[in-house]
Amino acid sequence: MKRIGVFTSGGDAPGMNACIRAVVRGAVYHGIEVFGIRRGYSGMIAGDVYKMESHSVSNIVQRGGTILKSARSKEFMTPEGRKKAFDSLNAHGIEGMVAIGGNGTFTGAMIFGNEYGIPTVGAPGTIDNDLYGTDYTIGFDTAVNTALDAIDRIRDTASSHDRIFFIEVMGRDSGYIAVQSGIAGGAELVMVPEVLTPLSEVVETLKQGWSRSKSSSIIVVAEGDEAGSAVEVAEKIKSQVDENADIRVTTLGHTQRGGSPSAYDRILASRLGLGALEGLLGGQKNVMAGIINNELVYTPFEDTIRLPKPISDDLLRMVKILSV
């Protein structure tokens, strides 16, 4: 293999640039030409491809987002779109790819690889930490710390004004950010998509707190919780508690996706980027590079996409115990 491509796709995550840097400099070290593909599958179809050198990735390890940009491509979901992408890669002599992204990115790579035989190895880049085959994904640690910083600040206001705050964090299908930021931030309750949390339990938690003279509370809600958004949950709860209770809502939104990556995310992204590249050069294809128990492993895209990654029961239990 003499030429490879690297691209980012789907939602951006802090640490993606560190991963790109590892792929590019790893390729240079191994004497392989490396090409950056801008805007994911959309840029692949359009031929937005350029050669990268070691200096192309200077001074990016500390930057959030992705220098290769990201986009979602409906055209790539069609056979015609994938044919255009293949022709574009062929025109540049690209023989294999490193894909940095999440579930949707790897689904596209698997289909594309099966149709055209171009081997791809993935690096898990998503703040949700919802991919089977790795303990942590690129961007998750930074997102948790971003959410935690906000929770700490809101806690100050909640305590000062005797308020109940419902704080919504990202996690449409995964409650990892909610659970870890909730534990670290001392939340009274965490609501996640993986576990049914009856509203009666929320009301009971608040009332128990009041009975212990607790004047303020923090409830962390993952955006995909079955009870609805933090705004919806707060409205439902308001009618079931003391009418004088001061209830407020804060939605953290996309602040969790941006910002300079943590040291952990920079190191993780570098390990996964180099691991994906060297796996590709070693003959791996249609797999994701991951770190499990501090060891580099490769998991088939099919398993990464299909198999669930449940939240540890110990973490969920911890929330209840520590809120007493």
Side-chain angles (χ1 to χ4, degrees):
M1 192 173 290
K2 301 296 183 183
R3 290 186 173 187
I4 66 148
V6 58
F7 67 97
T8 53
S9 181
D12 60 306
M16 279 185 163
N17 282 326
C19 191
I20 295 167
R21 174 177 177 267
V23 173
V24 171
R25 293 203 166 161
V28 171
Y29 175 84
H30 287 287
I32 305 297
E33 288 187 284
V34 58
F35 289 77
I37 303 167
R38 294 188 182 94
R39 296 178 294 109
Y41 292 119
S42 180
M44 196 181 298
I45 290 171
D48 194 355
V49 178
Y50 70 106
K51 188 174 181 181
M52 301 184 77
E53 306 285 357
S54 183
H55 63 79
S56 303
V57 291
S58 295
N59 199 33
I60 68 168
V61 71
Q62 79 282 5
R63 291 169 56 184
T66 162
I67 63 166
L68 291 178
K69 308 291 186 180
S70 186
R72 304 185 190 278
S73 174
K74 290 185 178 179
E75 189 176 3
F76 190 79
M77 296 178 184
T78 68
E80 296 77 14
R82 292 191 293 274
K83 177 63 167 60
K84 289 179 183 178
F86 173 72
D87 291 342
S88 174
L89 296 177
N90 215 25
H92 289 87
I94 293 174
E95 304 165 81
M97 296 188 295
V98 172
I100 306 168
N103 200 300
T105 302
F106 298 156
T107 299
M110 181 177 69
I111 295 170
F112 190 59
N114 289 337
E115 288 179 344
Y116 291 101
I118 294 182
T120 301
V121 177
T126 167
I127 67 169
D128 290 333
N129 197 38
D130 59 350
L131 292 174
Y132 177 87
T134 188
D135 288 337
Y136 295 105
T137 58
I138 297 165
F140 171 68
D141 184 71
T142 306
V144 168
N145 280 286
T146 298
L148 176 60
D149 181 64
I151 290 169
D152 286 345
R153 293 168 187 270
I154 291 168
R155 171 75 74 179
D156 292 341
T157 290
S159 297
S160 297
H161 294 274
D162 294 342
R163 287 173 177 162
I164 300 166
F165 267 91
F166 287 83
I167 303 175
E168 182 176 304
V169 300
M170 281 187 155
R172 187 176 63 248
D173 302 306
S174 170
Y176 273 95
I177 294 175
V179 166
Q180 295 216 6
S181 63
I183 291 173
E188 277 64 42
L189 194 67
V190 174
M191 303 177 70
V192 297
E194 292 90 341
V195 180
L196 177 66
T197 306
L199 294 181
S200 58
E201 182 178 332
V202 181
V203 173
E204 184 60 27
T205 297
L206 293 173
K207 288 182 176 179
Q208 286 180 5
W210 292 329
S211 70
R212 299 192 304 273
S213 300
K214 182 175 284 191
S215 61
S216 65
S217 294
I218 297 289
I219 311 293
V220 177
V221 183
E223 62 179 318
D225 187 75
E226 79 286 340
S229 68
V231 172
E232 293 170 322
V233 172
E235 284 299 320
K236 293 172 183 175
I237 295 299
K238 199 166 188 176
S239 62
Q240 300 181 48
V241 297
D242 186 339
E243 62 181 15
N244 295 317
D246 191 351
I247 296 177
R248 303 297 175 96
V249 178
T250 299
T251 301
L252 301 186
H254 285 77
T255 59
Q256 299 156 89
R257 288 245 293 257
S260 181
S262 65
Y264 183 87
D265 268 330
R266 297 182 199 192
I267 295 166
L268 176 67
S270 298
R271 288 186 72 184
L272 291 171
L274 188 58
L277 169 74
E278 293 185 336
L280 184 65
L281 299 181
Q284 296 280 357
K285 62 179 180 179
N286 272 8
V287 297
M288 181 193 78
I291 303 291
I292 296 180
N293 295 328
N294 207 31
E295 296 289 335
L296 180 68
V297 298
Y298 297 99
T299 301
F301 281 153
E302 185 177 1
D303 290 344
T304 292
I305 295 162
R306 178 176 57 88
L307 296 178
K309 185 179 178 181
I311 293 175
S312 165
D313 289 337
D314 286 343
L315 290 177
L316 296 169
R317 181 170 168 267
M318 195 184 301
V319 175
K320 289 188 176 182
I321 293 174
L322 298 184
S323 67
V324 174

